[in-house]
Amino acid sequence: MEKIIDENKQGEHLILEAKEGNNRKLFIESYGCQMNFSDSEIVASILSKEGFNTTNSLEDADLVLVNTCSIRDKAEQTVRKRLEKYNAVKKINPKMKIGVLGCMAERLKSKFLEEEKMVDLVVGPDAYKDLPNLLSEVDDGRNAINVILSKEETYGDIAPVRLNSNGVTAFVSITRGCDNMCTFCVVPFTRGRERSREPQSIIEEINDLWSKGFKEVTLLGQNVDSYLWYGGGLKKDFKNATEMQKATAVNFAMLLSMCAKAQPKMRFRFSTSNPQDMTMDVIETMAKHDNICKYIHLPVQSGNNRILKEMNRLHTREEYFELIDNIRRVIPEVAISQDMIAGFPTETEEEHQDTLSLMEYVKYDFGFMFAYSERPGTLAGRRMEDDIPADVKKRRLNEIQALQREHSLYRTKQHVGKVEEVLIEKASKKSDAHWSGRNTQNTVVVFPKENYKVGDFVNVKITDCTSATLLGEAVGYSDNN
Ligand code: SAH
Ligand code: F3S
């Protein structure tokens, strides 16, 4: 899911407004996908009721939690380094407890406690509501673990606290888990079966965010297009349960439309779409609502049919092109981004060339590109030898990245000269005199601050670009304010 944080960097800390009366200090750090960052907000919310306020000082913490990622080996190595650091601090402050959350907790389970002895607490992605119980065990001096995956848990009833954010953009989870079983991917094992959250609780969260001043929501799921809620309605109005389920089911296109209508001035994004599950309904719904951003993250992983099949991606290159053509026909101004894997087992040089030629056809606006990393327990990990030498993977990855940079620049140049609506999110990293925001296509736009403020929708005339950023000047507020 968009997007992978640079795995070499230290994770992001979550700081919330202190709650009066709370006297324990929580240091919580997140790695990996947006879902993890969103989950950490749920965890902090649960622990706030247990007397914890967040701190950004590791040394002061009573409880250190790290929300982890297993997607590639490098992501796990980064977390291990952090655990070593926490343990070094614990030597000075022996009262400090350390817990591991998320996908590594789920994958490695009690190994963390038994073999590695690096943590006091291990909690999988579906067990956060059990944290109060687990913590009382830890307080009593025992190690605690809950890595049970659930078929139902969506945390729909927990209001995440978001006071450390920019106050403008927020993530809202709509599905958890994944049933797609791509052969390279560990997510179905660490996050469990796919389940959809009740639409009403999603709408309520969105309304609440709007009332707090948020202007943009990204709906999150491993595979948002397979969102499906059966239920609701009154039984007595239907002949039988199947008829009721059919009549009251909400699919992703319907959910998008419900969100867009519930808050017509709020912007909506979503991530991630799987090509095999994306329907024309979704594309048409995007076109119909001005407040659904014209941007689709549509990972393809490879441009070769044999490799796609080995990956258990259930579409062909030709079907992917057809989808791209349909999207562009209905939403001409759309931006599309990719995820690619270089050096999947048995990939030949020719098959790698197919990936490059697919990219030439689509000319993605941006992308997230990775060298294949074998994950224990996945089908590819069990059945296929990781036979592409590291230097070959790296060279193929470099070629994919270089081509993407060309295409990104080709795409950003198309914006120069246009006036585009931008939602201001924060000060630009490079200059405090400039704002940074994004246009509907999700491209970052930087422009002089003048009298505008964070949260304003501003029309910006684009005057210049790099391959990643648009530069411009504000020409006034947009109609959306
Ligand atoms: N459907 C999810 C995918 C999560 S993983 C979503 O919401 O985006 C994000 C990306 O990591 C995948 O699209 C894939 O390109 C990459 N990835 C997953 N497993 C990988 C592996 N074993 N090696 C290299 N890259 C991998
Ligand atoms: Fe992973 Fe494929 Fe699901 S990449 S998260 S198994 S759609």
Side-chain angles (χ1 to χ4, degrees):
M1 149 180 343
E2 190 215 337
K3 241 23 270 187
I4 315 295
I5 307 301
D6 182 345
E7 286 155 10
N8 293 318
K9 281 195 198 142
Q10 196 175 313
E12 196 169 291
H13 304 148
L14 185 64
I15 301 298
L16 306 174
E17 198 172 88
K19 190 168 144 193
E20 233 173 274
N22 279 0
N23 54 16
R24 297 204 278 177
K25 290 193 189 125
L26 165 68
F27 178 92
I28 181 165
E29 190 167 44
S30 308
Y31 290 87
C33 66
Q34 288 167 336
M35 184 78 80
N36 264 3
F37 290 79
S38 170
D39 283 359
S40 291
E41 294 180 333
I42 289 169
V43 168
S45 167
I46 293 170
L47 290 182
S48 155
K49 297 193 180 76
E50 299 301 309
F52 283 96
N53 282 333
T54 47
T55 170
N56 57 5
S57 157
L58 178 58
E59 285 73 14
D60 285 350
D62 300 301
L63 176 64
V64 175
L65 294 179
V66 59
N67 202 344
T68 60
C69 175
S70 287
I71 200 79
R72 285 168 291 275
D73 185 54
K74 204 168 145 201
E76 291 202 351
Q77 295 313 327
T78 308
V79 169
R80 284 183 189 285
K81 281 202 200 103
R82 288 304 284 163
L83 285 172
E84 280 165 22
K85 167 82 186 166
Y86 304 155
N87 275 283
V89 176
K90 191 175 175 166
K91 284 213 174 94
I92 306 161
N93 173 14
K95 277 203 317 240
M96 188 175 109
K97 303 290 180 197
I98 302 173
V100 57
L101 313 176
C103 288
M104 270 175 93
E106 196 60 51
R107 200 177 82 70
L108 297 165
K109 302 189 168 65
S110 57
K111 268 196 192 155
F112 269 122
L113 301 172
E114 288 153 14
E115 289 166 29
E116 316 202 6
K117 301 203 190 328
M118 285 176 109
V119 299
D120 307 288
L121 178 69
V122 179
V123 194
D126 286 344
Y128 300 144
K129 279 189 194 158
D130 196 27
L131 269 164
N133 298 327
L134 296 167
L135 278 172
S136 64
E137 279 187 45
V138 169
D139 286 342
D140 289 345
R142 290 189 297 274
N143 288 336
I145 178 164
N146 185 344
V147 288
I148 296 171
L149 286 172
S150 155
K151 286 195 180 123
E152 285 99 33
E153 184 60 85
T154 59
Y155 300 109
D157 54 339
I158 305 252
V161 248
R162 297 191 161 91
L163 297 170
N164 78 318
S165 77
N166 56 17
V168 177
T169 58
F171 297 119
V172 171
S173 296
I174 62 162
T175 69
R176 298 182 70 86
C178 186
D179 284 350
N180 273 356
M181 299 302 279
C182 303
T183 57
F184 51 80
C185 184
V186 77
V187 170
F189 302 94
T190 58
R191 285 192 168 268
R193 299 303 301 265
E194 185 179 288
R195 66 220 94 122
S196 297
R197 177 175 166 191
E198 191 205 350
Q200 202 48 42
S201 84
I202 297 172
I203 300 294
E204 276 162 22
E205 190 172 338
I206 284 166
N207 289 341
D208 182 54
L209 284 164
W210 179 258
S211 74
K212 291 182 172 137
F214 285 83
K215 301 288 173 67
E216 184 185 293
V217 157
T218 303
L219 305 174
L220 286 185
Q222 301 298 338
N223 186 18
V224 286
D225 295 283
S226 63
Y227 176 88
L228 189 59
W229 169 260
Y230 310 95
L234 288 173
K235 231 179 186 158
K236 67 176 174 52
D237 297 333
F238 300 93
K239 267 197 230 122
N240 54 44
T242 322
E243 195 192 280
M244 181 181 100
Q245 280 195 345
K246 265 198 205 145
T248 58
V250 176
N251 66 19
F252 183 56
M254 290 155 87
L255 179 73
L256 260 185
S257 174
M258 283 165 71
C259 293
K261 284 185 195 150
Q263 287 304 339
K265 284 185 172 281
M266 191 166 214
R267 264 184 177 184
F268 292 95
R269 301 185 184 277
F270 53 88
S271 189
T272 297
S273 299
N274 189 315
Q276 71 206 39
D277 296 312
M278 188 162 208
T279 62
M280 283 312 288
D281 267 8
V282 169
I283 299 164
E284 277 152 16
T285 306
M286 287 177 75
K288 206 155 79 194
H289 296 276
D290 284 344
N291 59 335
I292 303 178
C293 289
K294 305 302 179 255
Y295 165 58
I296 305 175
H297 182 53
L298 199 62
V300 67
Q301 321 295 358
S302 164
N304 174 267
N305 281 336
R306 190 187 70 85
I307 295 292
L308 284 170
K309 206 164 178 197
E310 292 287 354
M311 290 175 161
N312 194 32
R313 303 287 288 190
L314 301 180
H315 63 81
T316 60
R317 170 187 174 95
E318 292 73 24
E319 284 162 342
Y320 188 78
F321 286 155
E322 202 181 313
L323 178 61
I324 297 283
D325 292 348
N326 279 331
I327 293 170
R328 294 231 162 100
R329 180 172 47 75
V330 181
I331 319 168
E333 72 276 32
V334 76
I336 302 175
S337 60
Q338 44 85 347
D339 286 348
M340 291 289 185
I341 297 180
F344 185 78
T346 72
E347 182 188 67
T348 66
E349 213 48 48
E350 255 179 2
E351 290 167 338
H352 163 63
Q353 290 299 325
D354 283 345
T355 295
L356 299 176
S357 73
L358 177 138
M359 291 174 72
E360 282 293 1
Y361 184 90
V362 184
K363 293 198 170 55
Y364 293 99
D365 290 74
F366 28 91
F368 304 91
M369 297 143 285
F370 313 99
Y372 173 71
S373 165
E374 184 177 281
R375 304 318 290 133
T378 58
L379 212 66
R382 281 185 280 137
R383 301 228 178 118
M384 301 181 89
E385 191 194 337
D386 183 7
D387 62 350
I388 309 297
D391 58 333
V392 175
K393 275 188 201 166
K394 189 145 196 254
R395 197 241 318 135
R396 289 182 189 169
L397 178 63
N398 286 343
E399 287 173 11
I400 292 171
Q401 286 170 329
L403 188 58
Q404 183 53 55
R405 265 194 302 278
E406 266 178 41
H407 292 160
S408 294
L409 185 61
Y410 166 82
R411 290 290 174 197
T412 51
K413 277 185 177 165
Q414 314 285 310
H415 295 268
V416 176
K418 292 188 179 153
V419 174
E420 301 186 337
E421 184 186 77
V422 176
L423 171 61
I424 302 179
E425 289 173 34
K426 56 189 174 197
S428 155
K429 258 188 243 148
K430 290 198 184 128
S431 146
D432 205 39
H434 288 73
W435 288 128
S436 167
R438 279 171 296 156
N439 62 11
T440 185
Q441 286 90 356
N442 204 39
T443 315
V444 173
V445 183
V446 171
F447 59 97
K449 280 185 174 173
E450 300 179 55
N451 290 326
Y452 299 104
K453 56 184 195 309
V454 167
D456 287 344
F457 284 100
V458 179
N459 286 328
V460 177
K461 168 126 195 190
I462 310 298
T463 52
D464 202 357
C465 67
T466 67
S467 65
T469 310
L470 302 175
L471 310 169
E473 274 163 38
V475 295
Y477 290 103
S478 87
D479 298 342
N480 204 31
N481 282 288

